[in-house]
Amino acid sequence: MKRDPYYLKRFLDYALVYRGFSVVVFLMSLCVPLIKMAIPFLLGGFIDVVTYTQDYRKAVFWIFSLLAVTVLSSILENIRQYFTEKYKQKLSIELRKSFMERFLKTELGYSTRMGSGYYLGRMQEVVQLRDIMIDSFANIVSGVLLSVVSLIFLFRVNLWVGLVFLVSAGPAVWSTIFPRTRTQTWSKEAAESEARLTDWAQLCFGQAEKIKARSLDKSVVSKFSMLASQVYGKGILLERWKDSWRAIFTIVDEPFYELAFLICGFLIMKGQMTIGTLVIMNWLANIFTDSSLMMFTTVTKISSSLPACVRVFEILENEPKVKEGTESLQKEHDDAAPQGITFADVGFHYPDHEVVVLSHVNFEIEPGEHVCLVGRSGSGKSTILKLLLRIYDPVQGSILLDDNSVQNYSLEHLRKLVDYLPQEPLLFPGTIMENLLMVSGSLGEREIAERVRACGLEDFMETLSNGFQTDLGGEGRGISQGQKQIVSLMSAIVKGSPTLLLDEPTSSLDPFLETKYEEVLSAYGNGRTLIIIAHRASTLLWGDRSLILDNGQIEDQGAHQELMARNRIYQEYFREVSE
């Protein structure tokens, strides 16, 4: 992969944010191996003293020195592991935060096309990447140091022994570099298979009730089994490849190790080498081969993780097509006056699709007006809301808040001015109050409660088991669908935006809750601009006027009575939603 060095550099940019931790890990990775290098010499000295001089005083000194070095190296190793783990956790926070920020700025069509399984897989890879890269950094530093120092000492023990191990480094390096490209390719394929499996599993977990109701259990399990088999096949293929090269590395290295021992045996027979020196040589040889194997394993891990590095940074560096504006609000958005909205000759098609969704759309909404969007599925109603929120930008024309283009606003402040309640409420795990605090800005719990009660929701709160402290559970499963809609409306009340967009807010409400919802929305919406996608007759009657969309264009607009008198599409639509 041509851009591998670039993505490694980008990872290091993140890693070096915590420079202090990286320095400590680097120094510990140097110190621990150097201290451990003293162990074979102390052990060899002890064996020679006992074998050749029988000087037990010196033997005791060598033993205590050996114990001291062993204890010191263990302490330093524990310190290194502690700081390494802390470093990894800090880096994980930074990477995950950047990942989520970038994901939420990613163009919606791209994120929808890739699927949630893809992003969940990438989030998991953030952690794997962190572990592999930080551990690899420490392993390479200590591995290089141990290899070089042990080789130097092997040369000092005997020139021929040193040469044997130096020559053995060549095949070892070759067996490390050669399999790199295929390792990366198959690692990428394995990760993509895992992402497809995760995407399918997530869909099944979320739709379990529907799957059971339609008796699709066997079909779903069969599909899941097929995807799991693909993951297994890709994983086994990759592991077989890596294990084969690991075996080749060991086989290539073994004859050199045996040749070195033959030389040492010959020298001992000639009286040119002591048993202690043999122990030192054996220990150094093991250090050299183990550190070489460790570097081989580390390079293999890095090669396997590089596709993950590329995938993660493709998301972290994906530039959003919707660019930030520069204008911000000069005062709190809940004090701002409602804005008028203008669509001027707006045209739009979704990215990667040439089908026109909106064509030459023109309309104006007065400040504080309540307008319904009417039209059959695919007519462009939801697209109008997305363009106003700048989820997408139009391919032609302009959209104005008062006389200011929405593209001039920073996205944060635009979405404080214009709030949005989807048909399926967005609720997070936790209590109702915790959800409201997420949108409250600077408001505290007391101010939030007062604002909700002021809109007439006190009796609704009394129907909940613990009021504001009611636990919603995952995705709001702790309350009914209708109650979710009311809680979602509460969040809009707390946020207090001067413009509110609603995608059929009463679709899941029983008659009692629908009446309550409309009463609260009427009280809250007084003096605010509302745009509502309407699928119920009561909503159409409640609005000031309606815009009728047909094939991506404004076909007509007007008050309910006017449209009922003159527009066939509106008449048919009203009859349908009234049944």
Side-chain angles (χ1 to χ4, degrees), residues 489-539:
L489 179 58
M490 281 186 202
S491 70
I493 293 169
V494 170
K495 188 174 179 181
S497 299
T499 298
L500 178 60
L501 314 178
L502 303 102
D503 189 351
E504 188 39 63
T506 60
S507 60
S508 302
L509 300 180
D510 59 41
F512 173 78
L513 282 179
E514 183 178 357
T515 301
K516 168 57 68 175
Y517 192 101
E518 290 176 351
E519 288 175 359
V520 173
L521 185 59
S522 179
Y524 172 72
N526 186 29
R528 286 181 164 83
T529 304
L530 304 183
I531 301 179
I532 309 167
I533 294 178
H535 290 140
R536 284 201 178 185
S538 58
T539 308

Side-chain angles (χ1 to χ4, degrees), residues 144-250:
V144 169
L145 184 65
L146 285 171
S147 296
V148 171
V149 173
S150 60
L151 189 60
I152 290 171
F153 281 119
L154 283 168
F155 269 103
R156 292 196 63 184
V157 169
N158 182 269
L159 176 63
W160 292 106
V161 171
L163 283 172
V164 167
F165 283 102
L166 180 62
V167 172
S168 73
V173 171
W174 174 80
S175 62
T176 299
I177 295 174
F178 183 79
R180 175 173 167 267
T181 302
R182 186 166 293 185
T183 299
Q184 291 179 17
T185 301
W186 286 350
S187 295
K188 180 180 179 181
E189 292 176 0
E192 289 171 350
S193 297
E194 189 72 42
R196 287 192 293 270
L197 180 67
T198 303
D199 205 12
W200 184 263
Q202 188 184 25
L203 173 67
C204 295
F205 295 151
Q207 303 295 328
E209 182 178 338
K210 296 175 184 176
I211 290 170
K212 293 176 181 179
R214 301 194 64 194
S215 189
L216 295 173
D217 310 49
K218 291 183 178 179
S219 298
V220 167
V221 171
S222 176
K223 176 70 173 179
F224 190 84
S225 177
M226 184 192 75
L227 293 172
S229 297
Q230 290 177 358
V231 172
Y232 170 80
K234 297 290 184 182
I236 287 296
L237 185 66
L238 177 62
E239 286 304 314
R240 189 186 301 144
W241 175 257
K242 291 193 292 187
D243 288 343
S244 298
W245 280 98
R246 194 176 294 115
I248 290 171
F249 177 90
T250 305

Side-chain angles (χ1 to χ4, degrees), residues 425-437:
L426 174 63
L427 299 175
F428 296 95
T431 65
I432 291 176
M433 181 57 73
E434 287 170 345
N435 273 262
L436 297 179
L437 285 168

Side-chain angles (χ1 to χ4, degrees), residues 49-72:
V49 166
V50 172
T51 304
Y52 299 109
T53 67
Q54 283 85 42
D55 187 341
Y56 294 106
R57 274 188 168 181
K58 284 187 178 181
V60 170
F61 168 78
W62 286 109
I63 280 292
F64 275 105
S65 299
L66 183 61
L67 288 172
V69 168
T70 303
V71 170
L72 179 61

Side-chain angles (χ1 to χ4, degrees), residues 60-105:
V60 170
F61 168 78
W62 286 109
I63 280 292
F64 275 105
S65 299
L66 183 61
L67 288 172
V69 168
T70 303
V71 170
L72 179 61
S73 65
S74 296
I75 292 171
L76 291 177
E77 177 63 24
N78 285 329
I79 293 172
R80 185 189 72 81
Q81 289 179 0
Y82 168 77
F83 278 100
T84 299
E85 188 59 34
K86 195 169 182 180
Y87 185 21
K88 289 196 289 188
Q89 293 300 332
K90 289 279 188 181
L91 184 58
S92 179
I93 293 171
E94 186 68 26
L95 281 168
R96 282 172 167 168
K97 176 187 171 186
S98 299
F99 186 94
M100 186 56 70
E101 285 178 347
R102 184 56 62 180
F103 167 74
L104 291 175
K105 290 182 179 180

Side-chain angles (χ1 to χ4, degrees), residues 243-262:
D243 288 343
S244 298
W245 280 98
R246 194 176 294 115
I248 290 171
F249 177 90
T250 305
I251 292 168
V252 168
D253 190 61
E254 196 66 31
F256 293 97
Y257 192 82
E258 292 169 358
L259 178 59
F261 264 90
L262 285 174

Side-chain angles (χ1 to χ4, degrees), residues 537 540-541 560 564 570-578:
L540 294 171
L541 294 170
H560 172 69
M564 285 296 292
Y570 188 84
Q571 293 166 1
E572 292 177 357
Y573 189 83
F574 187 78
R575 278 197 297 271
E576 285 181 13
V577 298
S578 299

Side-chain angles (χ1 to χ4, degrees), residues 274-560:
T274 65
I275 295 174
T277 305
L278 177 64
V279 170
I280 293 171
M281 193 283 301
N282 181 51
W283 200 296
L284 291 173
N286 282 326
I287 290 174
F288 181 79
T289 53
D290 288 347
S291 59
S292 299
L293 181 59
M294 179 176 65
M295 285 193 291
F296 166 80
T297 305
T298 301
V299 170
T300 303
K301 283 184 178 179
I302 292 175
S303 295
S304 299
S305 66
L306 277 175
C309 188
V310 172
R311 289 190 295 271
V312 167
F313 278 97
E314 279 177 350
I315 295 172
L316 290 175
E317 298 188 347
N318 182 33
E319 287 297 324
K321 293 182 180 180
V322 175
K323 303 298 182 183
E324 286 276 359
T326 57
E327 294 188 19
S328 299
L329 296 176
Q330 301 301 314
K331 56 183 178 177
E332 287 294 323
H333 60 278
D334 54 355
D335 294 329
Q339 294 92 5
I341 296 169
T342 302
F343 272 56
D345 197 37
V346 170
F348 179 73
H349 61 78
Y350 284 99
D352 303 324
H353 295 277
E354 296 302 321
V355 178
V356 174
V357 180
L358 296 177
S359 176
H360 303 290
V361 171
N362 294 277
F363 65 84
E364 292 185 9
I365 297 176
E366 296 296 324
E369 191 176 12
H370 301 169
V371 174
C372 296
L373 298 182
V374 175
R376 300 190 184 281
S377 177
S379 60
K381 304 184 297 296
S382 297
T383 302
I384 285 177
L385 304 191
K386 292 174 184 177
L387 293 178
L388 187 52
L389 289 161
R390 292 200 69 208
I391 303 297
Y392 300 99
D393 280 334
V395 296
Q396 73 173 52
S398 58
I399 303 171
L400 308 178
L401 284 181
D402 290 334
D403 295 323
N404 198 2
S405 171
V406 293
Q407 295 186 4
N408 292 335
Y409 288 97
S410 71
L411 293 174
E412 179 183 0
H413 287 288
L414 172 65
R415 291 164 189 173
K416 284 182 179 178
L417 284 170
V418 182
D419 197 8
Y420 169 62
L421 296 184
Q423 187 171 359
E424 181 61 37
L426 174 63
L427 299 175
F428 296 95
T431 65
I432 291 176
M433 181 57 73
E434 287 170 345
N435 273 262
L436 297 179
L437 285 168
M438 291 185 70
V439 299
S440 66
S442 58
L443 297 180
E445 293 189 13
R446 181 177 297 177
E447 292 87 350
I448 289 173
E450 289 174 356
R451 185 171 289 193
V452 169
R453 292 189 181 104
C455 287
L457 283 167
E458 188 168 3
D459 54 344
F460 170 77
M461 296 306 300
E462 291 175 355
T463 66
L464 300 173
S465 57
N466 292 308
F468 286 104
Q469 300 307 318
T470 299
D471 192 349
L472 297 176
E475 299 180 356
R477 294 191 185 94
I479 56 177
S480 71
Q481 188 66 25
Q483 289 172 326
K484 288 184 193 178
Q485 294 283 9
I486 300 291
V487 173
S488 182
L489 179 58
M490 281 186 202
S491 70
I493 293 169
V494 170
K495 188 174 179 181
S497 299
T499 298
L500 178 60
L501 314 178
L502 303 102
D503 189 351
E504 188 39 63
T506 60
S507 60
S508 302
L509 300 180
D510 59 41
F512 173 78
L513 282 179
E514 183 178 357
T515 301
K516 168 57 68 175
Y517 192 101
E518 290 176 351
E519 288 175 359
V520 173
L521 185 59
S522 179
Y524 172 72
N526 186 29
R528 286 181 164 83
T529 304
L530 304 183
I531 301 179
I532 309 167
I533 294 178
H535 290 140
R536 284 201 178 185
S538 58
T539 308
L540 294 171
L541 294 170
W542 182 77
D544 296 326
R545 64 188 173 101
S546 296
L547 303 178
I548 302 174
L549 284 99
D550 187 36
N551 293 323
Q553 295 182 318
I554 301 295
E555 200 272 344
D556 200 354
Q557 55 184 298
H560 172 69

